[in-house]
Amino acid sequence: MEYKYAKRMSSVTASEIRELLKLTEQPEVISFAGGLPAPELFPIEEIKTVNNYVLDHNGEHALQYATTEGYQPLREWIAKRMNTRLGTSFCDENILITHGSQQALDLSGKVFLDEGDVVLCESPTYLAALSAFKAYSCKFAEIPTDDSGMIMSELEKALEKYPTAKLIYVIPDFQNPTGRTWSLERRQQLAEISAKYNVAVLEDNPYGELRYEGDFLPSVKSLDKAGNVLCTGTFSKIFCPGYRIGWIAGEKEVIRKYVLVKQGVDLQCNTIAQMVISAYLEKYDMDAHIDKIREVYRKRRDTAIKAIRSAFPSDITFTKPEGGLFLWIELNEKIDTTRLLEKCLEHNVAFVPGTSFFPNTKKCNTLRINFSNMPEDKISEGIMRIGRALNEFTE
Amino acid sequence: MEYKYAKRMSSVTASEIRELLKLTEQPEVISFAGGLPAPELFPIEEIKTVNNYVLDHNGEHALQYATTEGYQPLREWIAKRMNTRLGTSFCDENILITHGSQQALDLSGKVFLDEGDVVLCESPTYLAALSAFKAYSCKFAEIPTDDSGMIMSELEKALEKYPTAKLIYVIPDFQNPTGRTWSLERRQQLAEISAKYNVAVLEDNPYGELRYEGDFLPSVKSLDKAGNVLCTGTFSKIFCPGYRIGWIAGEKEVIRKYVLVKQGVDLQCNTIAQMVISAYLEKYDMDAHIDKIREVYRKRRDTAIKAIRSAFPSDITFTKPEGGLFLWIELNEKIDTTRLLEKCLEHNVAFVPGTSFFPNTKKCNTLRINFSNMPEDKISEGIMRIGRALNEFTE
């Protein structure tokens, strides 16, 4: 048959880069392309223990349907954790458990976006947030950024230009793809500007717990007096991604809307996954576990930075993130990193070309490096290979 | 703040009946309202064994990110199972794993529906399918049904009236809410009509494995020469719902579209849940397990039917389903079952009033009874209570 797809499907297309990156699944390829946590740090034995505990003590509940809102003790833990770590004032009713924080992005599209609505985002920003929102046929306005985050005068200009803009999407902590962290001042300004223009903010925070140096900063939400800010979080980077447990947090009124939307979308999250994580949090020391992750990733970041300094030409700039999984390299502006990737694949090394992270403009001379997913020797070797490929490419 | 929600949110509202049914969570209430499988039949010990096996042998993979399409051995099992049971000709590439079959409905909305598009459905039909599609701002055309399924002359009339209709949504096996099963002839006619009018069919099949008498019938998909039919399935009713593992199956071309959409929606399903189910299927006898469920539910259905015959007035009609979880009662047309439910709650018994299952028309004198979720003595007692409430109500 000739399928009569929805109009939105014309913008939901397979990415050329994703096809290229399929080649990176070969074992001989050192890939900096993913955003994967280090699997050797997953607490497998502890998960086994709590899995058995949950099935022994509460198996019928753990395997049955449950509420859309999510497992209450887990929602309560999340609220408390956010209050301690991010300065919010949440209780369980402010939290909806989502199928990874990616689902929180999709639900946000459904709750807020009509066809043609404008989403304001950092330039560059998280690739899969663009996919999530695009499916609601929105437009993007890219706001320029610098080392302190989104540039607020540019945000105000955009809000003047698009007075009906629906959503400001930001990743203030260890941003994807740049690794940058917003200054406190920018956070305060964003909270004020969102109130002034009465526009919702989605503060995406998958990496916030993974700080390797410097002090934790208050979330934009904690500075939000008007109730405009929603925040996401996830267990993917501090526990494991396989369980697909994330959350969205915000004022009760708007979270209730998300709950209604999620009911139609998939009824609820995995019951046993929520109970297993909750039991883990009760029986084990999550802080100690996160410390372990931070120590390993800090070294990997340092190794990556050192390797870049030695293997890359001097006309590049790159970020030195205080946390998270990624760093961002800007090459000589003549270099198209999508073409460089092809050359790199000949050298069995991969990264994500920066163009994917810009919804409208394309900065072709940028690239993203993930440093969480492989041991230090491979990081050094991989960066060296990119350096060699770059030499050949520019010759 | 004043949230600027998407237009669709005006139709995404809390249902009055859902609020009423919250009262049914008290332990003293016998509730026929849910669609829950019997938790005492969940294979808890076996799940523990395979959970430990997966974590011991493949823990790092089980807890890591994985592909959007789903775990390959599980997709292969599903394809083979459908081919044997439903007469299809699928391989793994025809299958996308979804977060429960509910997600397959939401994804179908995203793939096919633009604002104002028409979805043709049985009258009555599955409540949460209406919610899933409604979020894409579609309209519904209800097609009258009888004991053999959707009335095909009425379907053709509707297709003439709505030539741009996008989707025909049907539940041919043990339909929710009526429990009815479509005849072979109607299935053949639907396959032909969908080809003639070039309109996609979504064949929702959560209960098909749970047949208590009579022969299994070929799926509409198996009769579909034009490639118009997509089918859903789920492990919720034959294994457990807590894992949220379902699927959508169809021609490779259209399944690839679903995969792209799912990438933006939530990246992928729970990795370990898929591997645990797959290990269960390898190590244990799923057919024997399903037989056990069928035997228990068959008795519960018989008990419900017997109790209805003895406790209800003679001016009612009700379905005697050959499988599934539900039966459907039509009372004297003067009786509004939403008001009857209020009376029933005084008697500590509950059901779902039929109105919820009609998108446009409302047949107020109907109700749905779930018979899978409680022991036989409670079924008898609960139906008796409804009978008493009905007596008081009509007096």
Side-chain angles (χ1 to χ4, degrees), chain A residues 140-355:
Chain A
F140 296 98
E142 284 180 46
I143 314 298
T145 55
D146 62 21
D147 275 342
S148 305
M150 196 181 253
I151 298 173
M152 289 296 134
S153 55
E154 297 286 343
L155 175 63
E156 287 218 59
K157 261 191 238 166
L159 285 164
E160 299 289 349
K161 187 170 170 192
Y162 305 106
T164 58
K166 280 288 185 68
L167 203 60
I168 306 172
Y169 172 72
V170 296
I171 315 162
D173 288 280
F174 324 126
Q175 202 243 12
N176 184 354
T178 65
R180 283 173 182 150
T181 297
W182 289 33
S183 68
L184 177 58
E185 198 190 352
R186 294 278 172 90
R187 292 166 194 246
Q188 279 161 335
Q189 288 172 329
L190 176 58
E192 284 158 21
I193 289 170
S194 73
K196 180 174 161 193
Y197 291 87
N198 191 42
V199 53
V201 172
L202 184 56
E203 182 179 21
D204 196 7
N205 188 13
Y207 321 109
E209 294 270 3
L210 303 178
R211 181 173 270 284
Y212 315 133
E213 62 185 60
D215 295 325
F216 284 94
L217 288 168
S219 63
V220 179
K221 180 67 200 168
S222 72
L223 307 164
D224 163 39
K225 289 174 196 132
N228 292 51
V229 182
L230 289 141
C231 338
T232 76
T234 178
F235 286 100
S236 291
K237 309 302 188 290
I238 56 172
F239 190 67
C240 70
Y243 276 122
R244 315 300 304 121
I245 297 294
W247 63 88
I248 180 116
E251 304 307 312
K252 288 177 196 174
E253 172 199 339
V254 63
I255 292 300
R256 276 194 293 270
K257 296 282 182 189
Y258 276 77
V259 171
L260 289 174
V261 165
K262 186 169 163 72
Q263 263 167 13
V265 162
D266 65 3
L267 305 179
Q268 60 156 112
C269 282
N270 184 307
T271 320
I272 183 169
Q274 297 179 67
M275 289 172 76
V276 161
I277 294 177
S278 189
Y280 176 90
L281 295 168
E282 205 178 284
K283 286 187 184 305
Y284 295 99
D285 184 347
M286 181 56 113
D287 284 315
H289 180 63
I290 294 175
D291 284 346
K292 208 164 83 180
I293 298 174
R294 289 161 66 187
E295 205 181 306
V296 172
Y297 289 3
R298 178 193 295 119
K299 286 186 194 150
R300 292 182 180 180
R301 176 203 60 171
D302 293 344
T303 304
I305 289 176
K306 202 174 138 196
I308 290 167
R309 282 202 176 114
S310 91
F312 276 59
S314 58
D315 64 344
I316 67 155
T317 57
F318 64 100
T319 58
K320 291 106 195 160
E322 293 182 348
L325 310 187
F326 305 108
L327 58 79
W328 179 251
I329 304 181
E330 204 168 323
L331 302 175
N332 183 301
E333 63 184 17
K334 286 180 199 137
I335 295 168
D336 179 341
T337 52
T338 303
R339 288 188 50 221
L340 176 63
L341 175 60
E342 288 165 23
K343 173 62 76 183
C344 279
L345 289 170
E346 292 169 19
H347 288 262
N348 285 328
V349 64
F351 54 79
V352 184
T355 48

Side-chain angles (χ1 to χ4, degrees), chain A residues 1-245:
Chain A
M1 80 172 285
E2 268 207 43
Y3 295 101
K4 292 178 271 187
Y5 295 120
K7 281 183 281 174
R8 72 177 66 82
M9 293 305 289
S10 63
S11 72
V12 178
T13 47
S15 114
E16 199 187 319
I17 285 159
R18 196 182 279 272
E19 294 307 306
L20 263 181
L21 291 176
K22 276 194 182 162
L23 302 170
T24 69
E25 283 158 27
Q26 312 303 326
E28 64 274 18
V29 176
I30 296 180
S31 176
F32 299 104
L36 276 61
E40 67 273 22
L41 300 175
F42 296 156
I44 297 179
E45 282 307 311
E46 292 85 344
I47 289 175
K48 248 175 72 181
T49 305
V50 288
N51 235 318
N52 289 334
Y53 176 84
V54 166
L55 286 169
D56 281 339
H57 291 82
N58 221 344
E60 292 192 4
H61 278 115
L63 301 172
Q64 186 59 287
Y65 285 111
T67 61
T68 305
E69 288 84 350
Y71 187 55
Q72 196 276 337
L74 186 63
R75 293 162 68 210
E76 205 171 294
W77 184 91
I78 291 166
K80 283 186 188 156
R81 181 80 177 185
M82 292 183 80
N83 296 348
T84 311
R85 189 61 103 198
L86 302 169
T88 53
S89 326
F90 286 141
C91 71
D92 58 343
E93 289 175 59
N94 296 104
I95 313 290
L96 166 68
I97 305 293
T98 57
H99 188 69
S101 59
Q102 183 69 29
Q103 188 185 41
L105 307 181
D106 175 55
L107 297 179
S108 299
K110 219 161 193 172
V111 167
F112 287 110
L113 301 179
D114 289 314
E115 189 178 340
D117 274 348
V118 171
V119 175
L120 304 158
C121 64
E122 290 157 284
S123 174
T125 191
Y126 172 48
L127 171 61
L130 298 175
S131 316
F133 299 146
K134 217 188 276 177
Y136 296 95
S137 307
C138 65
K139 290 179 199 149
F140 296 98
E142 284 180 46
I143 314 298
T145 55
D146 62 21
D147 275 342
S148 305
M150 196 181 253
I151 298 173
M152 289 296 134
S153 55
E154 297 286 343
L155 175 63
E156 287 218 59
K157 261 191 238 166
L159 285 164
E160 299 289 349
K161 187 170 170 192
Y162 305 106
T164 58
K166 280 288 185 68
L167 203 60
I168 306 172
Y169 172 72
V170 296
I171 315 162
D173 288 280
F174 324 126
Q175 202 243 12
N176 184 354
T178 65
R180 283 173 182 150
T181 297
W182 289 33
S183 68
L184 177 58
E185 198 190 352
R186 294 278 172 90
R187 292 166 194 246
Q188 279 161 335
Q189 288 172 329
L190 176 58
E192 284 158 21
I193 289 170
S194 73
K196 180 174 161 193
Y197 291 87
N198 191 42
V199 53
V201 172
L202 184 56
E203 182 179 21
D204 196 7
N205 188 13
Y207 321 109
E209 294 270 3
L210 303 178
R211 181 173 270 284
Y212 315 133
E213 62 185 60
D215 295 325
F216 284 94
L217 288 168
S219 63
V220 179
K221 180 67 200 168
S222 72
L223 307 164
D224 163 39
K225 289 174 196 132
N228 292 51
V229 182
L230 289 141
C231 338
T232 76
T234 178
F235 286 100
S236 291
K237 309 302 188 290
I238 56 172
F239 190 67
C240 70
Y243 276 122
R244 315 300 304 121
I245 297 294

Side-chain angles (χ1 to χ4, degrees), chain B residues 319-338:
Chain B
T319 57
K320 291 107 194 160
E322 293 181 348
L325 309 186
F326 304 108
L327 58 79
W328 179 252
I329 304 181
E330 203 166 324
L331 302 175
N332 182 300
E333 65 184 17
K334 285 181 199 137
I335 295 169
D336 179 342
T337 53
T338 303

